[in-house]
Amino acid sequence: MSNSQYLTPELRDWVAAQLRNGITREALYQAMLTSGWQPDMAQQALAEHRPFEPPLTLPELPEPVVEPGSLPEPDLSDQRSVLLPDGHRVEILMALQRPRVIVFGNLLSAQECDAMVAAAGARLARSETVAAQREGSEVNSARTSEGMFFERGENEVVARIERRIATLLNWPLRNGEGLQVLRYRVGAEYQPHYDYFDPRHASSKAILERGGQRVATLVMYLNTPTRGGATVFPDIKLDVMAQKGNAVFFSYDRPDPSTLTLHGGAPVVEGEKWVATKWLRQGEFV
């Protein structure tokens, strides 16, 4: 491993691989210096990655039963908050029936938000959208964020948050896509769009074979932008302000504009915005 004047994605991947293989940070640091790394460069590379952690073992929870035609839906019998089995209390800040939109407070702790940002930062790339004229995805001027995906259960924080979401929304963990983390810099936005897959698009057939249609979205705010960056719902004239630890949930029972779930990310005016998005599918996502 030769020294470099800057940390390339390849060098970052190499450092991450060594840590995943169980090499201690101290031993890796010495090996990097021996290979020609400058001390400050080696320290920076190590600071971007946490040491390897063994897979998290969590007690089994009963899987929610999904009836045909049902949608993810929290138990709002309290109307003020939901106390989850892990002892975490989530506040209910707002709830609409049509479209089904719920704003949660304190879904994530400040520490969980910071851990997600730290783990995602070195893996960001320009966000893409589902291609309409061909299979796969593509860069689109309507979406100007940077993003990455975590595998389900990839680390302790991701696994804890996924279980919390599954319990809160009464939806099987296996019916969810991996968490996507996005960063929006000043001026970045995601113009209004729908999250369901348009059956007319060339890419949709292959996507739907991996778990069926999307039926709900949960957008979690990992920081509070200085100005701008709200999640907007143009059809119902609703703006949800990005507040660290809070989240907005909405569901849709069909891939059609009649669901009134047109939404977007307003441009960031000052600072930056970090979000984590969880999309829920009809069936098991593979």
Side-chain angles (χ1 to χ4, degrees):
M1 175 64 61
S2 61
N3 184 36
S4 174
Q5 294 302 307
Y6 61 95
L7 286 174
T8 65
E10 292 76 18
L11 291 177
R12 287 188 168 96
D13 290 345
W14 179 83
V15 172
Q18 306 314 304
L19 293 172
R20 285 197 301 269
N21 288 335
I23 298 177
T24 66
R25 298 172 74 83
E26 294 75 17
L28 181 55
Y29 179 71
Q30 292 302 321
M32 293 163 75
L33 295 183
T34 302
S35 299
W37 289 66
Q38 293 297 323
D40 59 342
M41 191 68 67
Q43 292 168 8
Q44 178 186 343
L46 288 170
E48 294 180 355
H49 299 281
R50 297 180 63 189
F52 171 78
E53 296 177 353
L56 179 68
T57 301
L58 294 169
E60 291 293 328
L61 290 176
E63 280 281 280
V65 177
V66 177
E67 300 292 341
S70 65
L71 293 173
E73 176 67 19
D75 179 4
L76 300 187
S77 55
D78 190 315
Q79 296 296 316
R80 292 175 178 265
S81 64
V82 178
L83 180 62
L84 299 175
D86 64 359
H88 192 87
R89 184 173 291 278
V90 179
E91 301 170 3
I92 311 303
L93 302 182
M94 189 205 76
L96 294 178
Q97 288 293 337
R98 185 176 186 275
R100 191 48 162 160
V101 179
I102 302 171
V103 179
F104 295 112
N106 190 43
L107 179 60
L108 304 180
S109 69
Q111 293 77 14
E112 289 168 336
C113 292
D114 294 343
M116 291 276 284
V117 169
R123 295 163 56 181
L124 297 175
R126 174 66 186 270
S127 301
E128 297 185 349
T129 61
V130 174
Q133 305 301 323
R134 58 178 178 81
E135 293 189 2
S137 60
E138 60 188 6
V139 172
N140 191 312
S141 60
R143 190 182 198 188
T144 51
S145 59
E146 303 164 276
M148 57 78 66
F149 277 93
F150 286 110
E151 296 291 333
R152 280 199 309 245
E154 179 173 326
N155 59 44
E156 187 272 338
V157 174
V158 168
R160 185 195 319 146
I161 292 171
E162 288 175 330
R163 286 166 59 86
R164 185 177 303 158
I165 293 169
T167 304
L168 175 65
L169 300 180
N170 295 304
W171 205 250
L173 192 154
R174 64 177 182 273
N175 288 25
E177 299 178 28
L179 288 172
Q180 184 187 44
V181 175
L182 298 172
R183 175 174 64 186
Y184 293 83
R185 301 178 189 269
V186 170
E189 65 178 329
Y190 195 175
Q191 295 175 10
H193 60 282
Y194 299 99
D195 279 353
Y196 55 72
F197 302 113
D198 191 329
R200 299 169 298 178
H201 288 179
S203 298
S204 293
K205 183 177 184 297
I207 293 172
L208 294 172
E209 290 174 351
R210 299 186 61 195
Q213 186 61 261
R214 284 176 178 168
V215 291
T217 300
L218 180 71
V219 179
M220 296 164 278
Y221 304 109
L222 304 182
N223 80 319
T224 303
T226 306
R227 282 200 300 152
T231 301
V232 300
F233 294 82
D235 287 346
I236 57 173
K237 306 297 188 290
L238 173 66
D239 293 357
V240 179
M241 299 299 107
Q243 181 72 35
K244 185 175 182 177
N246 291 1
V248 58
F249 162 82
F250 52 100
S251 59
Y252 27 97
D253 61 355
R254 62 181 69 89
D256 190 271
S258 63
T259 58
L260 302 179
T261 55
L262 183 70
H263 67 285
V268 174
V269 178
E270 185 178 350
E272 60 182 20
K273 178 177 74 170
W274 289 78
V275 300
T277 302
K278 184 74 170 179
W279 287 293
L280 305 179
R281 298 286 194 102
Q282 290 173 318
E284 181 176 0
F285 178 72
V286 295

